[in-house]
Amino acid sequence: MSTTPLRLKELSKKDELLTGGHRLCAGCGAPIAVRQVLLAAEMPVIASNATGCLEVSTTIYPYSAWKIPWIHTAFENAAATISGVEAMYRSLKKQGKIKERIKFIAFGGDGGTYDIGFQSLSGAMERGHDIVYICYDNGAYMNTGIQRSSATPLGANTTTSPAGSVIPGKVQPRKNLTKIMAAHGIPYVAQTTPAHWRDLMTKVRKALDVDGPAFINVLASCNRGWRTPTDTTIADTKMAVETCFWPLYEYENGRLTINYKPKEKKPVTEFLKTQGRFKHLFSPENEGILERAQELVDREWEALLREESLYKSEEEKA
Amino acid sequence: MKGWKDLEIGAITKAGSADEYNTGSWRAFRPQWIEENCIQCLFCWIYCPDSAVTVKDGKRGEFDYLHCKGCGICARECPGKKGKKAIVMVEEGK
C-alpha cells in the first residue's frame, strides 16, 4: 500500500472517520485535531477515549461520530484500556487469528491525561505497549465548566482559580507533560497543534510507525474556556507557537528536534491578550504575573535550544 | 420482569450515525462560498471542526449546512484571491 502524500488535495480523497453532527461547541479545537489524526493514519485504528468533552459530545446516545472501533473508558484509564486491547491483538496475531496490521490510539483531554489518567498513562508507557496516546490539551476541565487542571497556564481565570482580589487567576504554572513523557524514555514523544496540520500529521505517522509507545501532546483551543471568539481557534493556536508558549518539538528515541523556530519570537502577551481568561493580567497590579509568564516561556524555550544544540554538537564530533 | 437477555442492546451499533444529526440549527452566521475567489487551498476543509466542507476529487464543493455550526474558522483562515475572501459569514435569516 502506498502512503498518501501529506497534501490536502490527496488527503481529502480519504474517508472522513469523524463525522459532523457531533455536539462539540462551534469552533472547538479538539475535533480538528482528531480529524487530522485519523486522516494521517494509513492503517485501521482502534481508539479508546477518556471521559471529557470529546468523549461526551461525540457519542451522545444513540449517535456516534466515530467510524472506527471506539471504546469509552473512565477518566483515569484510557491508556490502560487501550493497553488491554493492544495485548489482545498481539495474542490473536500470535495465534494466527488476525493477519492485518492494526494500530491503537488513546485520546484524552488534559484533565484525563495530565491529572486523572496520569498513572495509567505512565504505566502503559513503561510497559511498552504498541500504542499512541494523544492528549488534546485545552488547558482546563472544559466539559464540566472550566475548572483548573495541571495543564492550566499561570494566571488563567477558571471557576476554581477565579481571578479577583484574593488570587490573580491560577497561581501555579502548568505542568510540562510532554517533557515528563519524554523522561519515560519511550521511542516517540512530540508536541504539536492542529493549526500546523502538516506537522501534526507527520508526527502522527511517526508515532504510528514506531514499534512501541508514543505520546503526542496537541494544543487544542477551547473558545468557552479561553474566552475567545469561535473563529480564532487556528489564529490563537498559531500565536501559541509564535510566542514559544507551545513550541513544536519531538523526541525520536530520546533525541530532541525542534520542528519550528519563529524568526522573531513574539512576547507571550501576544498569545495572552486575545483571551478573556487572561484579561485581568493586563491591569497594573498583575504586571508581575505577566513577567513571570514570560520568564517561564523563555526558560523552557532556551532549555530546548540548549538541549538541541547539545545533540547537534555531539553528532558533529561523531 | 425482563431478564438481562431480553434487554435491548445498550450500545450505539451504527458507526458514524451522528452524521444524521442536525447541528446546523446552532448557526447564527452562515458561511458563504464564493467560487470565483477560491484558490482550492482546502484550508477550510482541514480546519473545519464539523467535517462540514465537502470536497470531491480534491476540489471544494458546497458547505454541508446540516452540520456546519457557523464558527467562522473557514472564513477567517481563507486566504482568498487577490485580497478577496472566498468565504464570507452572513447572518442567518438575512
Side-chain angles (χ1 to χ4, degrees), chain A:
Chain A
M1 196 176 72
S2 65
T3 314
T4 313
L6 287 181
R7 285 195 295 273
L8 296 181
K9 197 180 166 178
E10 303 306 320
L11 290 163
S12 70
K13 292 172 187 164
K14 293 185 71 177
D15 288 337
E16 189 76 66
L17 297 173
L18 186 79
T19 71
H22 58 69
R23 262 57 70 73
L24 287 155
C25 300
C28 177
I32 310 176
V34 172
R35 284 185 61 223
Q36 293 178 5
V37 169
L38 297 178
L39 275 166
E42 295 277 285
M43 70 288 281
V45 293
I46 293 174
S48 75
N49 200 166
T51 301
C53 288
L54 179 68
E55 168 267 320
V56 171
S57 307
T58 54
T59 56
I60 294 177
Y61 190 77
Y63 298 100
S64 167
W66 299 81
K67 286 190 164 180
I68 56 167
W70 178 95
I71 315 159
H72 166 230
T73 69
F75 235 133
E76 57 272 60
N77 59 347
T81 302
I82 207 71
S83 299
V85 180
E86 185 264 350
M88 176 193 69
Y89 164 76
R90 266 189 291 135
S91 168
L92 291 174
K93 207 164 183 192
K94 212 167 161 183
Q95 295 170 50
K97 290 179 182 165
I98 291 181
K99 298 257 179 316
E100 223 174 344
R101 183 171 177 245
I102 302 171
K103 292 295 269 196
F104 303 88
I105 301 178
F107 289 103
D110 51 287
T113 309
Y114 283 66
D115 295 349
I116 307 177
F118 184 63
Q119 43 78 20
S120 87
L121 168 64
S122 181
M125 297 285 135
E126 186 270 335
R127 288 190 303 272
H129 291 279
D130 190 14
I131 58 172
V132 178
Y133 192 105
I134 304 218
C135 171
Y136 68 98
D137 176 354
N138 52 27
Y141 292 83
M142 302 306 186
N143 183 39
T144 44
I146 320 163
Q147 287 82 33
R148 56 89 86 196
S149 76
S150 61
T152 305
L154 175 76
N157 184 13
T158 73
T159 56
T160 48
S161 62
S165 54
V166 180
I167 52 164
K170 195 186 172 202
V171 289
Q172 302 87 355
R174 89 192 152 84
K175 182 159 96 184
N176 192 334
L177 185 67
T178 312
K179 283 287 208 175
I180 297 170
M181 297 322 293
H184 281 66
I186 56 176
Y188 192 75
V189 173
Q191 189 163 285
T192 184
T193 93
H196 305 77
W197 60 269
R198 199 193 301 269
D199 184 79
L200 185 147
M201 290 167 103
T202 306
K203 286 171 177 171
V204 169
R205 285 196 172 165
K206 284 184 181 181
L208 288 167
D209 276 346
V210 297
D211 186 18
F215 175 85
I216 305 180
N217 206 355
V218 182
L219 185 71
S221 83
C222 165
N223 54 68
R224 297 290 304 123
W226 290 21
R227 301 286 177 210
T228 47
T230 59
D231 66 342
T232 60
T233 304
I234 299 300
D236 293 334
T237 312
K238 278 184 182 160
M239 195 49 84
V241 174
E242 294 302 321
T243 55
C244 297
F245 171 84
W246 192 266
L248 305 181
Y249 65 88
E250 64 188 346
Y251 279 94
E252 291 173 279
N253 296 312
R255 190 205 187 280
L256 169 71
T257 307
I258 301 172
N259 307 102
Y260 174 73
K261 288 171 192 151
K263 280 195 188 79
E264 184 202 349
K265 178 166 160 266
K266 294 204 163 72
V268 74
T269 47
E270 293 295 303
F271 171 63
L272 307 178
K273 74 179 185 193
T274 56
Q275 302 174 40
R277 63 175 172 161
F278 298 118
K279 198 175 156 201
H280 57 284
L281 297 182
F282 293 86
S283 15
E285 69 270 22
N286 288 329
E287 209 176 303
I289 307 286
L290 284 182
E291 279 168 24
R292 178 114 194 273
Q294 186 63 58
E295 272 167 32
L296 288 167
V297 168
D298 292 346
R299 204 196 303 164
E300 188 193 351
W301 181 241
E302 279 152 28
L304 281 171
L305 290 173
R306 267 201 308 277
E307 192 181 335
E308 193 193 42
S309 69
L310 208 70
Y311 291 118
K312 277 189 180 153
S313 63
E314 267 178 21
E315 275 166 12
E316 276 161 22
K317 270 183 228 159

